Amino acid sequence: MMLMTIRPVVHTVLHFAVPGLVARLGYKKDFFRAWAVMVATMLVDLDHLLADPVFNPDRCSIGFHPLHSVPAIGFYVLMTFVPRSATLRLIGLGLMIHMGLDWTDCVWMGWG
């Protein structure tokens, strides 16, 4: 029971920590910029404003919100392969991390 109570807090912390770890490991010389770009991809959660209720801690975002759909996720994957655009690749990577964490949350809730 305690685990389910802290789930939203752990989920939110991971949205900052995992991009930080990826930036630390893969973008040492440009750590802060890489981390900031990947964290900024949390703006993808603005699609939650289209839902009623806006926040439901027991709802799986993947497949429910438009920017969390399979076609959108496919687009995010493609963004990581755009040549000559480090920023676009970072945005794609940040969005894939975000979706991966959201999917993990869905599994934790018993949806997956």
Side-chain angles (χ1 to χ4, degrees), residues 28-101:
K28 289 179 184 176
K29 292 182 180 179
D30 207 11
F31 164 79
F32 183 76
R33 180 182 165 280
W35 176 78
V37 168
M38 288 187 281
V39 167
T41 64
M42 284 197 293
L43 289 171
V44 74
D45 280 341
L46 287 173
D47 66 352
H48 289 38
L49 296 173
L50 301 172
D52 186 27
V54 170
F55 176 72
N56 179 348
D58 297 319
R59 178 173 53 218
C60 177
S61 294
I62 303 297
F64 185 84
H65 301 291
L67 297 176
H68 291 68
S69 66
V70 173
I73 294 168
F75 182 71
Y76 306 152
V77 171
L78 291 176
M79 289 173 70
T80 64
F81 296 104
V82 174
R84 289 177 268 181
S85 180
T87 302
L88 200 54
R89 287 194 308 267
L90 274 173
I91 292 169
L93 181 57
L95 288 166
M96 288 184 352
I97 290 168
H98 185 101
M99 296 304 141
L101 291 170

Side-chain angles (χ1 to χ4, degrees), residues 15-33:
H15 277 294
F16 289 91
V18 173
L21 181 63
V22 170
R24 178 76 176 128
L25 294 174
Y27 298 89
K28 289 179 184 176
K29 292 182 180 179
D30 207 11
F31 164 79
F32 183 76
R33 180 182 165 280

Side-chain angles (χ1 to χ4, degrees), residues 11 78 104:
H11 179 75
L78 291 176
T104 302

